[in-house]
Amino acid sequence: MTSAEAGTLRRLAPPARRFLAHRKGVLVRLALWSLAESGQAFLVGHAVARSVDEGFLAGDPRRGLLWLGIALVAVLSGARVVRGVFAQLAGVTEPLRDGLVRRAVDRSMARAARGGPGGTDRAAVSRLTNQVEIARDSFAGLVLTLRSFVFTAAGALLGLLSLHPDLLVVVLPPLAAGLALFLVTLRPMAAAQRRALAADEALGDHAARARAALRDLAACGTGPGAERSGADLVADAAAAARTLAGWAAVRTAALGVAGHLPVLALLVAVEWLRGHGVSVGALLGAFTYLVQSLLPALHTLMTALGAAGSRLLVVLDRILGPEPEPEPGPGPGSGSGSRPSTASGPRAAAFTVDTAAVPALELRAVTLSYGVRAEPVLDALDLCVAPGEHLAVVGPSGIGKSTLTRLVAGTLAPSRGEVRVAGRPVTARPAAELAALRVLVPQDAYVFSGTVGDNLAYLRTDASRAELDAAVGAFGLGPLVERLGGLDATVRPAELSPGERQLVALVRAYLSPAPLLLLDEATCHLDPASEARAEEALAGRAGTLVVVAHRLSSAVRADRTLVLDGVRAQCGTHAELLGRSPLYRDLTGHWNS
């Protein structure tokens, strides 16, 4: 037994003793019904032997039929015994299930009450439903099979001994060999079961975290990383299942040794047994004990103890064991969890560049088509944005504005050409490096269930309280923060309006150390005054700002505007574009109205 398993048994032993101590009456009644089962097993084989030796072979068929009648009564009484056993079993298994449910709920609620990163216990669903039911069914199976094997085996072995002691000499060695092989599989089977359950929990937890962070995964280009993490977890679960299946095959071999070799040994030893005075009736009684009582009980024991026993030990350890340490979740920076790895600190320093020496953003003959024969959304687009510049992007709906931001963010690869941010190609760049170079804020802002401060410092966890307060003031977010209860109050995303969620996401981007901010209609739910205030704050931040404009005012405030018209792109100041871009003049007229 491993140290982990020994520790598990030590932890579970005291509560198990307390649990059983409160149910002594049920256990006594269960033992009495089991004694009846033991007597039944003894009577069946003994009656068969006597019916042959004292009845049919002795020329007294009535005596033989009488013994067979006794065997028949013993067999029929088994139904009453089983009914009595199951009636008492519920008094043990249902209280266990109720206690485990309470423990799982209390544990999950306590973890949720603590809040903070890792506070949500996503594995609680698995514990409360699947694992509790596994524990109840496994415990019931163990009680039934252990009780049945002990009392049935006692009755059968006593019967063999009463018929002739030499019968035990033939039957016991293969039984012991099969049991020994079975016991060898218990420890690795339990370890494999533990890994399988852990893999199942990890996969479910990853799926829940990834689903909650879908917007961030898409915005920051870490979807492939999350996909790879999920694939690794699926592979781990499959490997654990294969290991479990391998040990199950060994257990099947043990069952074959214990379940079939005793009968074969008895057949081979018939002549030797007859030479030692074993009667024909005793031989038939021995076969009856093996086939009707001992071997079925052994088969049930090995099947249940191997599968249900290891499952029960592992599941009880996970429900009643110590609280595991919260694991970091995938976020946009890591590809696994709900919180992103930030671009601050040493990691960000590794990707800093001399922004005065290279363009903040550069597109070189970039072409993007969503199919081999499809018309290009962007066709040989060249663009150069200087460090600290404020660029607006305008154009009709569906013209490729969001596609452009995805290309710049590195979440979409161009068909041809190259995209560089701060002098670095973004295509196929690791997620951590992309997170340090740019931040993309989509139209549907992402706010998670955490504190207000955690949401605002999402991309820069080392932001001080003074910096958070200054950012809140710059964006006019003070009334919302005050209404929610301060920076340490918990945010419930469903209770925020779309505009409030966008303001939270914009402050988050403002605090990010990334040199390039990409806003893909990220102010569409704000009123014009709030939008102007937010863009003014973002433009005053150290770094470069690219805004897919929702209103004309965004283009007017920008240093330059890029007009996408599906034929050729034009870039210039507001005044320059009014003079040379009919589409820009047309859009301007529509927006003014």
Side-chain angles (χ1 to χ4, degrees):
M1 179 175 292
T2 64
S3 59
E5 291 166 340
T8 298
L9 288 176
R10 284 193 296 269
R11 285 195 303 270
L12 296 180
R17 285 194 295 266
R18 289 193 299 270
F19 176 80
L20 295 176
H22 287 86
R23 287 156 185 85
K24 291 180 180 178
V26 175
L27 296 178
V28 169
R29 291 191 293 272
L30 194 59
L32 291 176
W33 281 110
S34 299
L35 280 174
E37 188 172 354
S38 182
Q40 177 207 10
F42 176 85
L43 277 177
V44 171
H46 195 81
V48 169
R50 291 292 180 266
S51 70
V52 174
D53 287 338
E54 299 177 6
F56 300 114
L57 291 182
D60 190 353
R62 287 192 301 175
R63 190 178 182 86
L65 290 174
L66 177 62
W67 278 110
L68 288 181
I70 294 174
L72 179 61
V73 170
V75 171
L76 294 177
S77 67
R80 182 73 181 90
V81 172
V82 170
R83 179 182 176 184
V85 167
F86 273 93
Q88 302 305 319
L89 185 65
V92 180
T93 57
E94 294 309 310
L96 174 71
R97 177 186 179 277
D98 294 342
L100 293 178
V101 167
R102 284 193 295 270
R103 167 63 177 167
V105 171
D106 290 345
R107 179 175 177 174
S108 179
M109 294 298 291
R111 187 171 181 181
R114 288 198 300 270
T120 302
D121 187 9
R122 293 177 175 85
V125 175
S126 176
R127 283 196 292 269
L128 187 59
T129 55
N130 185 40
Q131 293 185 30
V132 166
E133 292 305 317
I134 287 176
R136 182 184 67 169
D137 294 344
S138 299
F139 181 69
L142 282 179
V143 171
L144 283 174
T145 53
L146 283 172
R147 174 207 56 80
S148 177
F149 176 76
V150 169
F151 288 93
T152 300
L157 292 176
L158 284 174
L160 287 171
L161 182 62
S162 69
L163 295 177
H164 201 286
D166 286 345
L167 292 171
L168 292 178
V169 175
V170 176
V171 170
L172 282 181
L175 276 176
L179 280 173
L181 182 59
F182 165 73
L183 292 175
V184 168
T185 67
L186 285 180
R187 187 173 67 180
M189 193 81 169
Q193 188 71 50
R194 188 185 302 276
R195 288 193 297 270
L197 278 176
D200 178 64
E201 281 191 2
L203 184 59
D205 188 57
H206 172 81
R209 290 177 182 273
R211 179 183 58 81
L214 281 178
R215 290 173 180 166
D216 277 354
L217 292 173
C220 296
T222 54
E227 183 179 356
R228 286 192 297 271
S229 298
D232 291 341
L233 290 173
V234 170
D236 290 343
R242 285 192 295 268
T243 302
L244 202 59
W247 283 109
V250 178
R251 181 159 295 159
T252 302
L255 183 60
V257 172
H260 299 292
L261 281 186
V263 177
L264 293 177
L266 199 59
L267 288 172
V268 171
V270 165
E271 186 176 352
W272 179 81
L273 290 170
R274 290 288 292 158
H276 284 71
V278 178
S279 67
V280 174
L283 286 172
L284 288 177
F287 280 111
T288 301
Y289 281 129
L290 287 176
V291 176
Q292 295 296 324
S293 300
L294 192 57
L295 296 185
L298 181 64
H299 181 282
T300 305
L301 171 73
M302 295 175 69
T303 302
L305 187 60
S310 59
R311 282 201 308 266
L312 180 63
L313 185 64
V314 172
V315 170
L316 288 180
D317 184 37
R318 300 195 75 81
I319 296 177
L320 302 177
E323 181 74 18
E325 293 295 326
E327 299 178 358
S334 66
S336 59
S338 62
R339 298 295 307 274
S341 64
T342 66
S344 61
R347 180 182 293 272
F351 304 115
T352 56
V353 295
D354 184 2
T355 55
V358 296
L361 169 62
E362 188 176 10
L363 277 69
R364 300 176 180 177
V366 170
T367 298
L368 190 284
S369 300
Y370 289 106
V372 177
R373 299 183 180 180
E375 290 292 327
V377 179
L378 300 175
D379 191 6
L381 176 63
D382 291 309
L383 179 66
C384 186
V385 181
E389 188 174 3
H390 178 186
L391 178 74
V393 181
V394 301
S397 178
I399 203 65
K401 302 186 296 295
S402 295
T403 298
L404 176 63
T405 60
R406 291 180 61 195
L407 287 168
V408 174
T411 63
L412 185 65
S415 305
R416 291 188 300 276
E418 185 180 40
V419 180
R420 288 177 171 267
V421 174
R424 297 173 178 271
V426 298
T427 303
R429 182 165 292 278
E433 296 186 24
L434 287 175
L437 292 173
R438 88 291 178 270
V439 173
L440 171 61
V441 184
Q443 178 177 347
D444 296 323
Y446 171 63
V447 176
F448 59 88
S449 296
T451 68
V452 177
D454 285 342
N455 270 278
L456 298 181
Y458 194 64
L459 300 177
R460 185 182 163 198
T461 55
D462 63 345
S464 66
R465 181 58 66 99
E467 290 173 317
L468 292 177
D469 290 337
V472 167
F475 285 79
L477 204 60
L480 173 61
V481 173
E482 184 178 352
R483 190 191 84 204
L484 294 175
L487 294 175
D488 295 324
T490 300
V491 175
R492 294 178 176 82
E495 297 178 2
L496 299 183
S497 69
E500 289 170 339
R501 289 197 293 270
Q502 282 190 334
L503 279 175
V504 171
L506 290 171
V507 173
R508 178 190 301 155
Y510 175 82
L511 290 168
S512 166
L516 174 62
L517 296 188
L518 304 168
L519 307 185
D520 186 6
E521 296 198 15
T523 60
C524 62
H525 296 298
L526 302 181
D527 59 78
S530 298
E531 180 185 54
R533 183 172 187 171
E535 287 188 6
E536 183 178 349
L538 291 170
R541 170 188 178 275
T544 305
L545 178 64
V546 176
V547 179
V548 174
H550 180 67
R551 297 181 177 92
L552 171 62
S553 53
S554 294
V556 173
R557 285 189 293 267
D559 299 324
R560 287 192 300 158
T561 300
L562 174 67
V563 182
L564 299 179
D565 61 3
V567 179
R568 64 187 182 90
Q570 297 191 59
C571 190
T573 65
H574 176 65
E576 291 171 345
L577 291 173
L578 285 176
R580 69 171 188 256
S581 173
L583 176 60
Y584 188 74
R585 290 195 299 271
D586 184 52
L587 292 173
T588 302
H590 280 292
W591 285 359
N592 281 334
S593 63

